[in-house]
């Protein structure tokens, strides 16, 4: 494994006879015993393992991935990072995440292609402008950048929107977070895997957890398709399969698994220079470095573990795209795909201890898992290492719903996706 | 996915609205145990496999009915009733 990537390592490699680059992370066989096992080798699981090793000195860690690294939701999202939240716990957490994104490529010695191209949410009514002003003020009070744009300012930034009087949702302005942007999502998985592996973490691919090894109310290990592996502590970071894995330990979660689809068009010349979201419907779009428009919308609306989306939702999202950006009608759709996510009653995640000793949960990410990756790993590692939450994730507890401490960011009550 | 409505027959899923887990039992009126209500209101079995659930034919006859479906494949296992 190369010690570090630099201009010299590229030159050295260019001068050698043609051969593949060395593997970025080691592929060890599983040991029979670890201090910590993280189930799920996605962004959150790998980040957790990395911060366990780096911040807490716990290096006897295994990350168990049922498929290959990058096969799950870390490679299925629309790559957006931002921190324009309103509720206290969310604001601090997602701002910490954005700050970690800012230095991530240097921290991991891996170019994650973090692009602070900014995110603009388009407002479609005077009332929405008022609510965006309130959101922007709350962000600024927390030291986060936010700018309210009137219609003229917006027209300079996004000249290609439908500003006509006949638009179904007339445009009034928008809110701009300049530090928001996109990150190359595969590089996040590869970068965390490589950095964790360099610190001694075992990354074990093609290793599916099939059961928990329990001693009374304590988890002492996991059963896998590659045999039994024992551990002092077990963390779950499996995106849409949280309920499935938690049930192996007898737990029932406040979660339903839903499919969210994403789309990419044929590549065109640079045109959309921001992440653009819409106030009229859940719709978000950015242009990738290859030139394709990458965008998504709502979930399909019923629980499923299949990664195949329904056609009616494809049509819904295309209608959003064309309504906001008429030029989209002339682009051809290249690919679409689905990812399975935990939807929670209040739309906020869980990073917490569970009622089972030695078992920790990182799940319930709804629409917002990717942007949370660094802070999620940081706080989940802290929770596992200290058996107590970090200040930033104390509010993301499993019993918050029963205690009436919901984090209902959208302010529309229970099961936001059913509204 | 196509869903068999007990009244209208098989139609595309976009005519329907999903109504959640149909196996939950509402706790007795006046039950004061928080855990019981928490389990009823917030927690879900959310199985990867056979699931019994409510659907409503919102863009058709508007009837509510129960459906058995495999959530791992979206295969319909039992017709609407």
């Amino acid at each position: 494994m190369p010690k570090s990537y630099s201009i010299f390592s590229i030159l050295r490699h260019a001068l050698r006879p043609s051969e593949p680059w060395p593997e970025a992370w080691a592929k060890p066989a599983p040991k029979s015993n670890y201090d910590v096992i993280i189930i799920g080798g996605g962004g959150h699981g790998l980040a957790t393992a990395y911060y366990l090793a780096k911040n807490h000195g716990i290096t006897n860690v295994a990350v168990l991935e049922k498929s290959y690294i990058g096969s799950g939701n870390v490679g299925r999202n629309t790559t957006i990072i931002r921190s324009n939240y309103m509720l206290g716990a969310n604001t601090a957490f997602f701002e910490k995440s954005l700050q970690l994104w800012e230095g991530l490529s240097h921290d991991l010695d891996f170019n994650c292609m973090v692009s602070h191209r900014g995110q603009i949410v388009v407002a479609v009514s005077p009332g929405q402008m008022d609510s965006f002003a309130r959101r922007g003020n709350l962000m600024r009070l927390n030291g986060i950048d936010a700018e309210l744009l009137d219609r003229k300012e917006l027209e300079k930034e996004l000249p290609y929107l439908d500003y006509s009087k006949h638009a179904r949702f007339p445009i009034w302005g928008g809110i701009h977070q300049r530090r928001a942007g996109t990150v190359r999502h595969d590089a996040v998985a590869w970068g965390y895997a490589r950095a964790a592996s360099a610190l001694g973490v075992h990354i074990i691919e093609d290793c599916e957890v099939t059961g928990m090894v329990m001693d009374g109310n304590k988890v002492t290990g996991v059963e896998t398709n590659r045999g039994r592996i024992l551990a002092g502590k077990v963390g779950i970071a499996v995106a849409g399969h949280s309920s499935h894995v938690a049930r192996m330990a007898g737990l029932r979660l406040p979660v339903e698994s839903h499919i969210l689809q994403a789309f990419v068009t044929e590549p065109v010349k640079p045109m959309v220079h921001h992440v653009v979201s819409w106030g009229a419907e859940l719709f978000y779009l950015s242009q990738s470095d290859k030139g394709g428009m990458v965008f998504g919308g709502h979930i399909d609306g019923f629980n499923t573990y299949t990664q195949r989306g329904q056609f009616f939702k494809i049509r819904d999202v295309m209608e959003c795209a064309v309504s906001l950006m008429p030029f989209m009608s002339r682009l051809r759709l290249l690919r679409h795909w689905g990812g399975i996510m935990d939807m929670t009653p209040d739309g906020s995640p869980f990073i917490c201890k569970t009622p089972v000793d030695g078992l920790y949960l990182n799940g319930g990410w709804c629409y917002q898992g990717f942007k949370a990756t660094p802070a999620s790993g940081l706080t989940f590692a802290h929770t596992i290492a200290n058996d107590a939450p970090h200040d930033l994730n104390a509010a993301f507890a499993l019993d918050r719903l029963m205690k009436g401490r919901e984090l209902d960011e959208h302010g529309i009550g229970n099961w936001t996706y059913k509204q | 996915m196509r869903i068999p409505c007990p009244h209208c027959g098989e139609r595309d899923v976009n005519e329907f609205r999903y109504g959640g887990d149909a196996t939950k039992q509402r706790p007795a009126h006046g039950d004061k145990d928080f855990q019981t209500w928490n389990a009823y209101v917030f927690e879900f079995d959310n199985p990867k496999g056979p699931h019994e659930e409510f659907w409503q034919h919102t863009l058709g006859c508007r009837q509510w009915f129960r459906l058995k479906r495999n959530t791992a494949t979206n295969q319909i296992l039992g017709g609407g009733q």
Side-chain angles (χ1 to χ4, degrees), chain A residues 310-386:
Chain A
Q310 298 296 321
F311 186 76
F312 75 89
K313 185 51 67 178
I314 301 177
R315 197 178 54 203
D316 286 355
V317 177
M318 299 308 133
E319 283 170 356
C320 289
V322 174
S323 182
L324 180 65
M325 304 174 173
F327 73 84
M328 286 289 286
S329 68
R330 296 169 61 190
L331 295 182
R332 276 167 295 195
L333 196 62
L334 201 62
R335 289 186 291 128
H336 79 103
W337 61 92
I340 305 302
M341 293 156 327
D342 293 353
M343 297 305 290
T344 61
D346 58 357
S348 292
F350 302 108
I351 305 177
C352 55
K353 296 165 66 173
T354 69
V356 177
D357 292 339
L359 186 67
Y360 302 82
L361 174 68
N362 178 340
W365 283 102
C366 305
Y367 297 92
Q368 56 200 353
F370 178 68
K371 69 181 73 65
T373 304
S376 164
L378 184 84
T379 54
F380 196 38
H382 182 102
T383 306
I384 293 172
N386 299 302

Side-chain angles (χ1 to χ4, degrees), chain A residues 241 243-244 247 252-257 301-306 308 310 312 315 345 401-402 406 415, chain B residues 1 13-14 17-18 34-35 38-39 41-48 51 53 55 69 71-74:
Chain A
H241 279 70
S243 294
H244 184 66
R247 184 178 301 105
R252 209 162 160 255
L253 301 180
V255 157
E256 265 188 2
S257 298
F302 58 91
N303 60 337
T304 180
Y305 286 88
T306 68
R308 293 194 309 273
Q310 298 296 321
F312 75 89
R315 197 178 54 203
L401 301 160
M402 189 174 74
E406 291 146 336
W415 295 108
Chain B
M1 189 163 88
V13 60
N14 76 327
R17 174 195 180 184
Y18 176 64
F34 270 130
Q35 288 289 358
N38 182 55
V41 176
F42 294 121
E43 292 179 354
F44 292 83
D45 284 337
N46 192 22
K48 185 178 186 177
H51 188 235
E53 57 207 18
W55 287 82
R69 177 176 60 98
T71 62
T73 60
N74 283 349

Side-chain angles (χ1 to χ4, degrees), chain B residues 4-21:
Chain B
C5 170
H7 183 68
C8 309
E10 191 183 280
R11 300 294 180 95
D12 190 82
V13 60
N14 76 327
E15 292 186 14
F16 297 84
R17 174 195 180 184
Y18 176 64
D21 189 341

